[in-house]
Amino acid sequence: MSLTPTARYAARTNSPVRRSPAYAAHRRRRGPGPTASLALLASIVVSLLAASSAPTPLYAIYQQRWGFSPITTTTVFGVYALAVLVSLLVLGKISDHVGRRPVLLAALTGQAAAMVVFATAGGVDALLAARVVQGVGTGAALGAIGAGMLDIDPRRGGFLNSLAPAVGTAGGALVSGLIVQYLPVPTRLVYFVLLGIFVLQALGVLALRETVSRKPGALAGMVPEIKLPKAVRTPVAIAAPVLFAVWALAGFYGALGPAIIRTLVHSTSVVWGGLPLFVLAGSAGLAVLVLRGTSTRTVMLLGAGALIAGVAITLVSIGPGTGGPAAATGFFAGSAIAGFGFGSGFQGGIRMVMPQTEPHERAGVLSLLYVVSYLGLGVPAVIGGVLVVHGGGLLQTAREYGIAVIVLTAAALAGLLLSGRRAEPVAALRTAAGSTPEAAPAPQTARMPQTISG
């Protein structure tokens, strides 16, 4: 009898396959198979993140129409991150109790409503309202989707948890820019397209098999609580600084990237406005693909190094702010390198933590990782918007923001290196006791798709 791909993987890596108690029933009930279910769930992550980045190229148009300042732009951006954070804290664990499907259906309904508000917006108040509804729906869905993918296939689910956000962010920024630039009704069409996608995905969710059994305590689980299972506390402590740093960079590109690149290329085209985030997120997706077979610790170290190098190149390219072809080329080259670091760091953080969790812990733990990520995404971006107006202006704020990201990443890199050194005496003691490294049992923190020790 042949092993499934997941079972073969578990046998090869000595990693337990922690499927939910409902998995056998999941296999017996009619509905899409594992591959189709994974594809649907990953597509929802892509569309959620695409919708979150779709307004990025439009901020310049909104600003011209309604005459608001850069502080308002970053506030609209930051409100979304805050709404996601609150939703993750309140609703992040609810799918562990009521099931994945009900949470996904409610979240997609909220996303569809947000698209309608965006499409009919007549001022900043409507933008803020749409971003709040969008953020609540995204926060509720992310934990359920990620946990659902891990329920179905831990190996492929972990990979898609890392890849899909980058694909969605990159696609949303670029496609939105192209629609706005070249198609009619620029501030409405992109939202109507996303509305149709969310409706189709909701119909797909109706056909999905539930992957986790219901359990009581849903209302109690909605009380915000920072609680980590013991098995994942050390991996989370190592991964959290990296996740914060890489998403702080994403916040920089989402909030200030469009204005910076238009300054460098001396153009008002909205396509330019979406390109920085597209390059960053596209390179992040490439990193996930290229490094999927590399050890987790190596991925994290490569991510931190690439992030520091890429941001440094970007800052040098901005220079005095006079722009020109050389400056724009350097900016995009640095963005691509930094994006590779973004994808590596995010992938490594997910892989370091999630394989340690039990089925009914997955949504809660994954939601906590997203809380750290969205704190990095939102808080520095809002501070940057304030500094643009009340500090040294756009380019000076960009330099200060970039330096702060480098410092954060360097601190995370130091933590990674120290964690590796602490692991060496353990291996030495085992060898002295007569066990070879190959024969020694794997430590709890190494039970993951790729070993931490690298």
Side-chain angles (χ1 to χ4, degrees):
M1 181 176 179
S2 62
L3 294 173
T4 65
T6 303
R8 288 197 300 270
Y9 176 81
R12 186 173 69 251
T13 61
N14 196 30
S15 299
V17 178
R18 298 182 178 180
R19 286 179 171 140
S20 71
Y23 185 77
H26 163 89
R27 293 298 298 267
R28 288 194 299 268
R29 289 194 294 268
R30 290 185 178 182
T35 299
S37 298
L38 283 172
L40 174 60
L41 293 174
S43 76
I44 296 174
V45 177
V46 170
S47 61
L48 289 174
L49 273 295
S52 74
S53 61
T56 299
L58 287 165
Y59 287 142
I61 295 177
Y62 293 142
Q63 191 170 1
Q64 290 173 1
R65 287 186 179 182
W66 303 325
F68 55 75
S69 71
I71 291 180
T72 303
T73 300
T74 52
T75 299
V76 173
F77 184 87
V79 160
Y80 166 76
L82 178 62
V84 174
L85 280 173
V86 173
S87 181
L88 286 168
L89 289 171
V90 175
L91 303 174
K93 297 182 290 184
I94 196 169
S95 76
D96 287 337
H97 298 273
V98 304
R100 316 300 188 203
R101 292 171 68 247
V103 174
L104 290 180
L105 288 171
L108 288 170
T109 301
Q111 290 292 322
M115 296 304 104
V116 174
V117 177
F118 271 126
T120 58
V124 175
D125 291 346
L127 287 183
L128 291 171
R131 287 301 253 177
V132 169
V133 175
Q134 185 182 41
V136 170
T138 299
L142 286 176
I145 296 171
M149 288 195 287
L150 291 170
D151 293 340
I152 296 169
D153 189 324
R155 178 179 60 85
R156 289 189 294 171
F159 170 69
L160 291 172
N161 267 319
S162 302
L163 178 64
V167 173
T169 302
L174 180 64
V175 173
S176 176
L178 292 173
I179 289 175
V180 171
Q181 184 70 37
Y182 299 111
L183 294 179
V185 287
T187 59
R188 296 184 179 183
L189 182 59
V190 64
Y191 300 121
F192 287 137
V193 171
L194 287 166
L195 172 62
I197 291 172
F198 287 132
V199 170
L200 291 175
Q201 288 172 335
L203 294 175
V205 169
L206 288 173
L208 278 180
R209 304 163 178 170
E210 184 56 75
T211 61
V212 67
S213 55
R214 290 173 178 258
K215 70 172 187 175
L219 290 178
M222 293 174 66
V223 177
E225 180 183 24
I226 305 299
K227 183 179 179 181
L228 282 174
K230 187 175 180 180
V232 300
R233 290 174 187 172
T234 298
V236 167
I238 298 170
V242 179
L243 293 174
F244 188 94
V246 299
W247 282 92
L249 180 67
F252 169 75
Y253 276 83
L256 301 180
I260 292 172
I261 192 60
R262 281 195 292 267
T263 299
L264 296 180
V265 300
H266 308 296
S267 171
T268 59
S269 170
V270 294
V271 175
W272 282 109
L275 278 178
L277 191 57
F278 169 77
V279 171
L280 180 85
S283 182
L286 179 64
V288 174
L289 288 171
V290 171
L291 300 177
R292 65 185 183 276
T294 307
S295 69
T296 299
R297 181 175 173 78
T298 301
V299 169
M300 297 280 275
L301 292 173
L302 284 174
L307 202 68
I308 292 172
V311 174
I313 292 171
T314 300
L315 294 180
V316 171
S317 301
I318 292 174
T322 54
T329 301
F331 180 83
F332 281 119
S335 300
I337 296 171
F340 197 87
F342 173 26
S344 304
F346 184 60
Q347 174 186 199
I350 296 294
R351 282 166 41 180
M352 183 171 283
V353 175
M354 291 312 297
Q356 310 302 312
T357 60
E358 299 294 341
H360 281 91
E361 299 169 342
R362 285 172 181 160
V365 173
L366 189 60
S367 294
L368 181 60
L369 295 182
Y370 276 118
V371 165
V372 174
S373 300
Y374 274 88
L375 278 172
L377 179 73
V379 174
V382 173
I383 295 173
V386 174
L387 292 176
V388 168
V389 176
H390 299 293
L394 175 64
L395 296 179
Q396 181 60 30
T397 299
R399 297 184 190 100
E400 294 168 354
Y401 198 126
I403 292 170
V405 169
I406 289 175
V407 171
L408 279 171
T409 308
L413 179 60
L416 282 168
L417 293 173
L418 288 174
S419 69
R421 290 176 182 174
R422 285 196 295 267
E424 291 174 1
V426 176
L429 286 172
R430 284 177 178 163
T431 303
S435 298
T436 64
E438 292 77 15
Q444 181 68 16
T445 53
R447 290 181 184 174
M448 56 190 63
Q450 304 295 334
T451 173
I452 297 178
S453 60

